[in-house]
Amino acid sequence: MSLVLTAYRYATMALAPVVPFALARRARLGKEDSQRIRERLGYAGVTRPAGQLLWIHGASVGECLSVLPLVDQLLLTATDRTVLVTSGTVTAAKLMGERLPHGALHQYAPVDTPPAIRRFLDHWRPDAALFVDSEIWPNIISSAHSRRIPLALVNGRMSQRSFRGWKRMRRTASSLLGRYDLCLAQDAKSAERLTALGAKRIEISGNLKADAPPLAADAPKLDELRGVIGERPVLLAVSTHAGEEETILPAHDRLRRLFPDLLTIIAPRHPIRGHEIAMLCGERSVARRSKGEVPYKETEVYVADTLGELGIFYRLSPFAFVGGSLVLHGGQNPLEPARLERAVLAGPHTQNFTAAYEAILAVQGFGRVLSSTDLATVAERLLVNPGEAMRLGKAAAEAAHSLGGAVERTRIAIEALLSDARA
């Protein structure tokens, strides 16, 4: 073990006594579930079922939703198998409680301290542990490895930015990644970076999010919004990050000169930014979803500052600008609008979903925007010609479908890992 990991282990052990107080404070702020806070300390909320148990950990909503089809497939292939899904956020826990199939359980992930991890592993005794996307927790990985629990990174992603950071701690990265028995990378770039950092057995499985079902929509809520909006043209910007509204709002102003009844809907990646976005709108008439408001005729900008409703908003426009792409974040998931046959617009920074953006924008023939002028120009083209927007949306859906297959490839690899462990 590297000196950094040794120091980390001793530091987290020393801090373990104060963790309950930190969690209690987070619970008061609404960032932890006060009724289930003991799970974060490694105390199980339910009894371990008999038989084989596979543990899948995803940090938050996106990672947990991406593994739902995989959970279904893993449960179908073994009758005595339970899948335990852990996450760290209240929102993810709520969604998993609603969407996990029979035979799957949800628990909050233990904090990465030695005592919490020990209690968690003593109780659950997983037959394999699968970590989603880019989850690398030193104590969890080291403790599971020391118990000879097969470890896999699934839907593995290593961005250029993360790669640069880990390269500065190459020995630590190698020590951690070398403990994985299998790394299933989303794409060739991630596979290359994981290999350079010391991962051993690597396969390219594709992106699990490409196999996710289309986002659902609450029908009564959708009908209500459709009734209020009527025939108004809509400019939809989803999953936006700080710094992007300063490009979207001038595009809105330019489009309003051509479409006086235009409604711009902005769904921020983090709903807590709703107030901030409303302030940025200045004298423009604003309504906020989180306040129960709807976009009446006089509303220019509707701030959709809620969680779990993107499926509704995608259905209100034939195209969508996907945020996180005008800033250095790297772009949010373009497969969500594409699967709903919505044309995709995005900024220049899309490295989080390189393959998906390249495939979708290639079949569309355009959609990359660099400025408010670009966004207004492309949006005008699609608003003037709804037929073209629908055609491009269908092309985007076909591109998204072509990227599928990751769930089955991942399932096969995990079954082989389990078989190797039993041999």
Side-chain angles (χ1 to χ4, degrees), residues 109-403:
V111 293
D112 199 38
T113 63
I117 302 304
R118 183 182 65 252
R119 286 189 286 263
F120 179 89
L121 294 178
D122 283 349
H123 177 84
W124 291 107
R125 306 184 311 281
D127 292 276
L130 319 179
F131 299 91
V132 184
D133 205 341
S134 53
E135 286 296 284
I136 303 175
W137 289 101
N139 287 329
I140 291 178
I141 292 171
S142 298
S143 297
H145 178 74
S146 69
R147 296 181 185 221
R148 298 189 177 182
I149 298 170
L151 296 173
L153 180 66
V154 301
N155 213 42
R157 179 170 64 88
M158 177 65 67
S159 68
Q160 180 64 34
R161 182 178 180 182
S162 295
F163 180 60
R164 286 196 299 266
W166 280 111
K167 275 204 305 184
R168 291 193 286 269
M169 301 187 296
R170 191 181 296 272
R171 185 178 175 189
T172 300
S174 179
S175 182
L176 285 171
L177 291 172
R179 285 169 163 76
Y180 281 112
D181 298 280
L182 173 66
C183 289
L184 299 175
Q186 292 184 16
D187 50 50
K189 278 291 184 186
S190 290
E192 180 183 316
R193 291 164 185 159
L194 288 166
T195 300
L197 291 174
K200 296 174 182 175
R201 180 181 165 193
I202 296 182
E203 298 176 17
I204 299 174
S205 59
N207 193 334
L208 289 176
K209 292 181 179 179
D211 286 339
L215 291 178
D218 183 291
K221 292 179 181 179
L222 176 59
D223 289 343
E224 178 192 23
L225 280 177
R226 280 176 170 162
V228 172
I229 294 171
E231 298 300 316
R232 295 179 65 182
V234 173
L235 172 63
L236 175 63
V238 301
S239 300
T240 61
H241 288 245
E244 294 189 304
E245 288 80 20
E246 288 85 343
T247 296
I248 296 163
L249 291 172
H252 160 86
D253 294 338
R254 176 169 173 160
L255 288 167
R256 287 276 293 190
R257 299 187 196 111
L258 302 168
F259 308 95
D261 59 343
L262 176 79
L263 172 66
T264 292
I265 300 176
I266 300 177
R269 178 75 174 97
H270 303 291
I272 197 171
R273 295 186 56 242
H275 175 71
E276 170 194 333
I277 295 169
M279 294 292 290
L280 286 171
C281 288
E283 296 182 0
R284 304 174 187 90
S285 176
V286 181
R288 289 178 60 188
R289 181 76 170 170
S290 65
K291 292 187 173 183
E293 298 168 348
V294 293
Y296 290 114
K297 187 175 181 179
E298 66 276 9
T299 303
E300 293 183 50
V301 180
Y302 190 42
V303 182
D305 51 348
T306 55
L307 282 171
E309 293 193 311
L310 277 183
I312 293 176
F313 301 116
Y314 281 131
R315 288 171 170 84
L316 298 174
S317 173
F319 66 95
F321 168 80
V322 181
S325 59
L326 285 170
V327 292
L328 292 174
H329 176 76
Q332 297 298 147
N333 187 359
L335 297 167
E336 291 177 343
R339 275 194 297 269
L340 289 168
E341 298 188 354
R342 269 49 190 170
V344 174
L345 313 182
H349 306 292
T350 53
Q351 61 270 22
N352 288 346
F353 294 88
T354 300
Y357 276 106
E358 287 181 351
I360 292 168
L361 295 180
V363 297
Q364 291 182 176
F366 73 100
R368 190 78 71 178
V369 298
L370 305 179
S371 65
S372 60
T373 300
D374 287 348
L375 179 57
T377 300
V378 174
E380 177 188 347
R381 172 177 170 177
L382 298 178
L383 289 170
V384 167
N385 191 345
E388 181 182 20
M390 291 179 64
R391 179 181 63 80
L392 294 176
K394 290 183 181 298
E398 290 174 4
H401 179 73
S402 72
L403 296 170

Side-chain angles (χ1 to χ4, degrees), residues 60-67 92 132 209 269:
S60 189
V61 172
E63 292 83 2
C64 288
L65 290 177
S66 73
V67 298
V132 184
K209 292 181 179 179
R269 178 75 174 97

Side-chain angles (χ1 to χ4, degrees), residues 88-110:
T89 67
V90 174
T91 307
K94 181 176 182 296
L95 285 172
M96 290 301 98
E98 296 169 351
R99 301 191 188 184
L100 280 176
H102 177 72
L105 304 171
H106 176 270
Q107 293 279 280
Y108 280 99

